[in-house]
Amino acid sequence: MIVIDHKGHRVNVSVFGEFTLADYREFEEVVNYKIKFEGPVDLFFDLTKMGTLTLDVAWEEVKFSRAHANDFNRVAVVTDSEWVTWSAWISQTFVNADVQVFDDAAAADEWLENEA
């Protein structure tokens, strides 16, 4: 399940349990809308409650990142998973954004707020 909140030039995403392709498509829809009408966005991903990630989501993430290489300013990823951390660093090769991984949501939020 995915929960999305957005305001200003920021999209907040929290994932609970399995992260499915339908969830990712919901994320894409919100981000595409924000980019179209407001320009580049900051992303905040809280993946601390994510259970599993389906392979089709991983592939869609790569395609989406490549298609939007210049549409993100900063990306904060909150996780305690080593695999997700490595995935975030790999994703950084596809986008021209500052990508940071945090183990604390408050620190990630502060980084996004203070760097604005």
Side-chain angles (χ1 to χ4, degrees):
M1 181 177 100
I2 189 171
V3 175
I4 301 172
D5 175 37
H6 57 92
K7 61 181 174 183
H9 291 284
R10 181 167 161 183
V11 177
N12 298 318
V13 178
S14 297
V15 177
F16 302 91
E18 183 178 49
F19 194 8
T20 66
L21 186 56
D23 293 330
Y24 198 85
R25 294 264 162 85
E26 185 179 339
F27 159 75
E28 288 177 322
E29 187 176 310
V30 170
V31 171
N32 282 330
Y33 178 87
K34 297 288 281 182
I35 291 168
K36 181 176 181 178
F37 293 103
E38 299 177 20
V41 297
D42 291 333
L43 301 175
F44 175 93
F45 286 100
D46 185 347
L47 304 178
T48 56
K49 304 288 190 234
M50 183 176 74
T52 58
L53 174 76
T54 60
L55 185 57
D56 53 355
V57 171
W59 178 242
E60 187 67 19
E61 195 273 329
V62 169
K63 293 188 314 184
F64 188 75
S65 294
R66 290 184 68 198
H68 294 280
N70 297 306
D71 293 329
F72 308 115
N73 294 316
R74 290 163 297 143
V75 180
V77 179
V78 182
T79 184
D80 56 4
S81 165
E82 190 172 314
W83 186 88
V84 174
T85 299
W86 279 103
S87 176
W89 294 128
I90 290 170
S91 295
Q92 188 170 11
T93 63
F94 299 115
V95 296
N96 295 320
D98 189 2
V99 178
Q100 296 288 327
V101 178
F102 298 87
D103 57 7
D104 177 67
D109 184 60
E110 183 179 337
W111 176 70
L112 287 173
E113 290 296 321
N114 290 334
E115 294 293 320

